[in-house]
């Protein structure tokens, strides 16, 4: 069956990349676009966003109108939009691939509740490299323990609105999982002024913003005598889009539930 996929955040940086990737991927077709109320893209044909002829796919601001004509939706928007959309995808039992980051704990809990009806894949990063790095970090952190101070450094483009990045938090969680501690209890998300000395076992985060950087992440483990660094550099948004489309196709025949990219790639322990 050819999967009919819509894109939420149709006119955004990821939305455009996703639409191109859906068009170029066998097994799926671009079936709709969703944008914010008041967006200049609402009512436009998706093709005009890439300077292509009309594709016959209109961009709407009404998620309810999309549900009957799609099998799934790939959503790279903002937290409020994702939390609204997930009620529609759950009600209609659709595939919902969530790339939106910066969702708070209450939002995460709301998504987990409706996942009993929708097939949701949610990840802070859809690239193969970052998902492989998670597994490696977990192993490294379990071997090194607290003797090595763990710090997560990330840089993104100047338009990014949340910090630390969803990917930085995923990588921090891999370190926490390796050490068998709770990330929230051990993370230091920023430092300013008289902070006092670093506590053993802290997992530190540092954020840089500027230019057009797609996403750079380094996780370092520093001891008195050596430093080990793992770095991932995203060179284009295309690999996020390819991962998200792969996730949508994978979820088609799965039972309702909340999955992540580790499930899609078969990387779970
Ligand atoms: N998980 C990953 O692999 C990954 C990779 C890249 C970006 N992201 C995340 O994806 C999100 C989008 O990133 P971006 O760089 O494309 O941002 P962007 O600002 O370029 O695009 C977001 C789009 O969402 C639209 N939008 C806002 N409210 C909406 C609503 N109610 N309904 C439909 N559309 C709505 C905006 O108008 C905009 O076009 C961010 O949270 C970012 O951190 C995740």
């Amino acid at each position: 069956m050819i999967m009919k996929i819509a894109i939420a955040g149709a006119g955004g940086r990821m939305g455009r990349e996703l639409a191109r990737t859906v068009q170029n991927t066998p097994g799926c077709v671009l079936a709709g676009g969703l944008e914010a109320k008041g967006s200049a893209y609402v009512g436009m044909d998706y093709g005009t966003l890439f300077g292509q002829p009309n594709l016959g796919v209109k961009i709407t601001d009404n998620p309810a109108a999309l549900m009957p004509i799609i099998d799934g939706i790939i959503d790279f928007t903002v937290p409020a939009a994702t939390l609204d959309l997930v009620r529609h995808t759950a009600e209609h039992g659709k595939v919902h691939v969530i790339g939106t980051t910066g969702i708070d704990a209450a939002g995460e809990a709301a998504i987990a509740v409706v996942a009993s009806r929708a097939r949701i894949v949610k990840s802070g990063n859809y690239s193969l490299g970052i998902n492989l790095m998670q597994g490696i970090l977990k192993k490294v952190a379990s071997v090194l323990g607290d003797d090595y101070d763990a710090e997560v450094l990330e840089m993104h483009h100047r338009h990014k609105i949340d910090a630390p990045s969803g990917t930085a938090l995923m990588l921090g969680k891999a370190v926490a999982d390796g050490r068998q501690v709770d990330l929230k209890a051990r993370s230091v998300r920023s430092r300013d002024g008289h902070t006092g000395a670093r506590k053993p076992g802290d997992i530190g985060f540092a954020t840089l913003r500027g230019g057009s950087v797609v996403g750079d992440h380094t996780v370092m483990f520093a001891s008195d005598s050596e430093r080990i660094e793992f770095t991932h550099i995203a060179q284009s948004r295309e690999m996020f889009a390819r991962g998200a489309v792969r996730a949508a196709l994978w979820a088609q025949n799965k039972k309702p539930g909340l999955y992540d990219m580790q499930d899609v790639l078969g990387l779970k322990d």
Side-chain angles (χ1 to χ4, degrees):
M1 186 192 84
I2 300 289
M3 184 178 190
K4 297 195 268 319
I5 299 179
I7 309 296
R13 281 175 286 268
M14 279 304 301
R16 290 160 191 257
E17 196 68 52
L18 283 158
R20 267 190 291 267
T21 305
V22 168
Q23 280 183 291
N24 294 332
T25 305
C28 57
V29 290
L30 186 63
L34 183 67
E35 256 300 335
K37 285 199 186 334
S39 157
Y41 302 120
V42 174
M44 281 169 66
D45 186 277
Y46 222 138
T48 55
L49 258 63
F50 328 115
Q52 283 185 6
N54 275 3
L55 298 173
V57 178
K58 283 265 179 288
I59 296 175
T60 176
D61 59 5
N62 180 1
L66 268 183
M67 293 302 130
I69 60 165
I70 62 167
D71 300 310
I73 189 158
I74 304 179
D75 170 8
F76 283 63
T77 56
V78 294
T82 296
L83 294 175
D84 179 54
L85 185 56
V86 83
R87 290 187 296 112
H88 294 276
T89 52
E91 189 184 329
H92 292 86
K94 303 291 177 184
V95 169
H96 189 166
V97 174
I98 300 175
T100 309
T101 60
I103 297 172
D104 63 14
E108 298 282 359
I111 290 172
V113 167
V114 297
S116 58
R117 288 178 286 146
R119 278 154 292 157
I120 299 173
V121 184
K122 184 172 175 302
S123 175
N125 194 302
Y126 281 92
S127 88
L128 179 59
I130 285 287
N131 279 279
L132 288 171
M133 195 162 141
Q134 266 185 290
I136 293 164
L137 286 171
K138 190 173 165 190
K139 176 83 183 150
V140 169
S142 77
V143 173
L144 297 179
D146 288 359
D147 292 343
Y148 286 66
D149 298 326
E151 294 281 311
V152 184
L153 173 66
E154 58 109 335
M155 179 162 187
H156 281 84
H157 53 87
R158 62 168 72 96
H159 304 288
K160 186 160 178 65
I161 57 173
D162 56 313
S165 70
T167 304
L169 294 170
M170 276 170 62
L171 298 176
K173 184 164 184 320
V175 173
D177 288 350
R179 290 178 172 177
Q180 298 185 303
V181 297
D182 176 26
L183 176 63
K184 229 184 268 155
R186 304 314 306 262
S187 62
V188 176
R189 305 260 296 238
S190 64
R191 297 185 180 104
D192 184 27
H194 189 83
T195 60
R198 192 183 200 288
K199 291 196 198 71
D202 279 353
I203 299 170
F205 289 86
T207 299
L208 307 177
R209 292 285 174 267
S212 55
V213 175
V214 176
D216 294 355
H217 293 84
T218 295
V219 178
M220 52 188 91
F221 296 90
S223 77
D224 289 335
S225 51
E226 65 177 345
R227 192 166 79 237
I228 310 165
E229 298 190 355
F230 295 86
T231 294
H232 179 270
I233 295 175
Q235 289 180 310
S236 86
R237 292 184 173 82
E238 193 194 335
M239 44 115 201
F240 300 132
R242 273 203 257 125
V245 173
R246 178 170 173 172
L249 291 168
W250 175 89
Q252 253 186 118
N253 303 314
K254 293 291 171 294
K255 286 194 296 220
L258 181 55
Y259 303 96
D260 63 19
M261 201 53 188
Q262 303 275 312
D263 294 307
V264 175
L265 296 171
L267 296 175
K268 280 266 160 81
D269 298 336

